[in-house]
Amino acid sequence: MPIRVQNDLPVKEILEQENIFVMDEYRAAHQDIRPLSIGLLNLMPLKEDTELQILRSLSNTPIQVDVTFVRMTSHVSKNTSTSHIYKFYEPFENIREKKFDGFIITGAPVEQMSFEEVDYWDELVKIMEWTKTNVTSTLHLCWGAQAGIYHHYGINKTELPKKLSGVYRHRVRNRKIPLVRGFDDVFMAPHSRHTEVPQELLEADERITILADSRQAGIFLCMAEDGRQIFVMGHPEYDRMTLDSEYKRDMGRGLNPQIPENYYPDDDPENKPVLTWRSHANNLYTNWVNYYVYQATPYDLYGESSYKK
C-alpha cells in the first residue's frame, strides 16, 4: 500500500530504506483516485517510534492511504520535541469537521491511573464520541482499547498482579470473521501492560465478539458494531526491539522488571530477540483496511447517509 505522508516527515526516509512504498504529497495529488483517509491519534510518548511502527503496518495492501497524525491539545508530550508535534500533528479541533475512512487510537503509558485521572480524558471522550459519526471503523490499541471499551460499553479495566510483558501464544476463536482471515490457528503477539479488561466480562457482553485470546494474556482481539469498533489488547505493531527497549529502560530506572516472556532466546537479554509476530500483525492491519475500511467506506465521505447517527 502506498503510504501518503508529508514530504519532510523524518520517518519517511527510514520507511524508504526498508523498501516500503511511501508516496509524497506531490505524487499523491497527481493520481486520479481517492485515497483512504486514516487518522492516527498517537498517545504513545515516543511519537516517532510509533509513527514508524504504524506506517509499516499499514503498508501491505495496494490501496493508497493518506495518514493524518492527530494530537491532544489538553496534554503536552514530554518525550517528543514540540517542533515535531506542531509541524506534523493536527489538533483535534482542526479535524473535527472532517470524516475519515479509518481511525487509530494508540496505547498510552497511563494504565495504572483511573481513566478519569488522565489529564486528557475529557478530550479523548469527545474524540471517541466523534468517531461514531465521522469514522467508518476505529482501531483501538492496548490502553486505547481499554479506554474504548470503558467508554463505549462501560467495562472497566483491572490491575494485574505484575506487568504482562512478552510475546504470547494466542488462538483464533471465530474464523468466519474477516478480521482474522488468513490467520493460523495459533499465532504470537506482543503485550506490554499493567492492566486488563476482565475476560469474563467481555465474554458476557453480547455486544462484543471475541476473535482471539490467550491462556496467559487473556483477550487479544475483539470487536463490536460489525467492526466499526475494533479492540486490540496487545501491541502487534511493535518492532523486534521495542520490548527490549522498554525492559532496559525500566532496568535503568531501578524498577527491577521481569524479563519479557518468550522473547529473548534462553531468556538472556544479551541475545537478539526472535521476531515471531510480524506476519500476523501485517495480516491484521491488512484485513482491517480491506474489509472494515475500504470495503465498508462510502466513496463520498461527506454524503448525507455516509455514517450512522
Side-chain angles (χ1 to χ4, degrees), residues 15-303:
L15 292 167
E16 289 174 332
Q17 290 171 355
E18 295 177 2
N19 203 29
I20 290 174
F21 187 4
V22 182
M23 182 179 293
D24 63 29
E25 296 166 302
Y26 176 82
R27 183 172 178 183
H30 287 76
Q31 287 201 327
D32 190 22
I33 60 175
R34 182 177 85 74
L36 293 179
S37 179
I38 292 183
L40 172 61
L41 179 62
N42 188 355
L43 303 176
M44 294 292 278
L46 301 176
K47 307 293 186 195
E48 292 184 63
D49 288 356
T50 303
E51 293 164 14
L52 186 58
Q53 292 166 8
I54 297 293
L55 291 176
R56 277 197 193 111
S57 299
L58 290 172
S59 68
N60 291 287
T61 78
I63 306 163
Q64 183 181 319
V65 171
D66 185 353
V67 179
T68 299
F69 298 119
V70 182
R71 63 177 172 88
M72 293 293 194
T73 56
S74 50
H75 177 78
V76 178
S77 177
K78 300 176 182 178
N79 297 283
T80 301
S81 70
T82 301
S83 61
H84 180 88
I85 292 172
Y86 278 85
K87 183 173 184 178
F88 297 109
Y89 282 72
E90 294 283 350
F92 174 61
E93 290 303 316
N94 285 10
I95 59 103
R96 69 182 307 156
E97 299 303 320
K98 296 183 179 180
K99 293 184 183 291
F100 288 83
D101 300 297
F103 201 80
I104 299 171
I105 300 175
T106 74
V110 293
E111 304 160 66
Q112 292 172 292
M113 303 168 63
S114 70
F115 292 115
E116 289 80 5
E117 289 178 328
V118 176
D119 60 3
Y120 51 78
W121 178 248
D122 289 344
E123 185 177 7
L124 180 58
V125 166
K126 291 178 183 177
I127 293 173
M128 290 190 290
E129 278 296 298
W130 165 86
T131 65
K132 290 161 66 174
T133 54
N134 287 58
V135 177
T136 301
S137 178
T138 302
L139 184 67
H140 309 70
L141 303 175
C142 201
W143 181 84
Q146 296 179 358
I149 287 172
Y150 178 64
H151 172 67
H152 293 298
Y153 306 106
I155 304 174
N156 207 344
K157 59 185 171 65
T158 58
E159 189 152 356
L160 294 166
K162 62 179 181 180
K163 183 178 181 180
L164 184 75
S165 177
V167 183
Y168 298 94
R169 181 184 175 100
H170 300 78
R171 60 171 178 156
V172 173
R173 291 271 300 269
N174 193 331
R175 286 209 160 275
K176 295 181 179 179
I177 303 297
L179 192 59
V180 292
R181 186 166 291 170
F183 275 49
D184 295 327
D185 289 341
V186 174
F187 65 95
M188 306 298 286
H191 290 259
S192 178
R193 49 187 168 85
H194 293 273
T195 56
E196 68 175 0
V197 181
Q199 181 160 348
E200 63 274 14
L201 298 182
L202 291 170
E203 299 270 13
D205 195 313
E206 294 182 353
R207 298 170 294 179
I208 297 171
T209 301
I210 310 297
L211 300 180
D213 65 0
S214 164
R215 288 183 179 179
Q216 290 177 287
I219 299 295
F220 172 71
L221 180 62
C222 59
M223 73 179 201
E225 299 177 48
D226 295 323
R228 293 206 64 205
Q229 303 289 345
I230 294 173
F231 307 98
V232 183
M233 302 299 179
H235 282 288
E237 77 284 354
Y238 266 12
D239 294 335
R240 181 194 302 268
M241 303 304 293
T242 306
L243 287 174
D244 174 75
S245 298
E246 292 181 357
Y247 171 72
K248 291 175 179 175
R249 175 202 65 198
D250 290 348
M251 285 289 290
R253 293 175 177 174
L255 300 177
N256 194 29
Q258 291 193 333
I259 294 174
E261 295 186 67
N262 310 312
Y263 182 58
Y264 298 111
D266 302 320
D267 285 335
D268 183 351
E270 296 304 313
N271 290 331
K272 182 179 180 179
V274 177
L275 185 61
T276 59
W277 62 91
R278 177 62 56 78
S279 61
H280 280 86
N282 288 343
N283 203 3
L284 174 63
Y285 279 89
T286 299
N287 286 346
W288 175 61
V289 169
N290 185 28
Y291 298 115
Y292 298 90
V293 180
Y294 177 66
Q295 302 290 347
T297 195
Y299 183 83
D300 178 7
L301 274 173
Y302 295 90

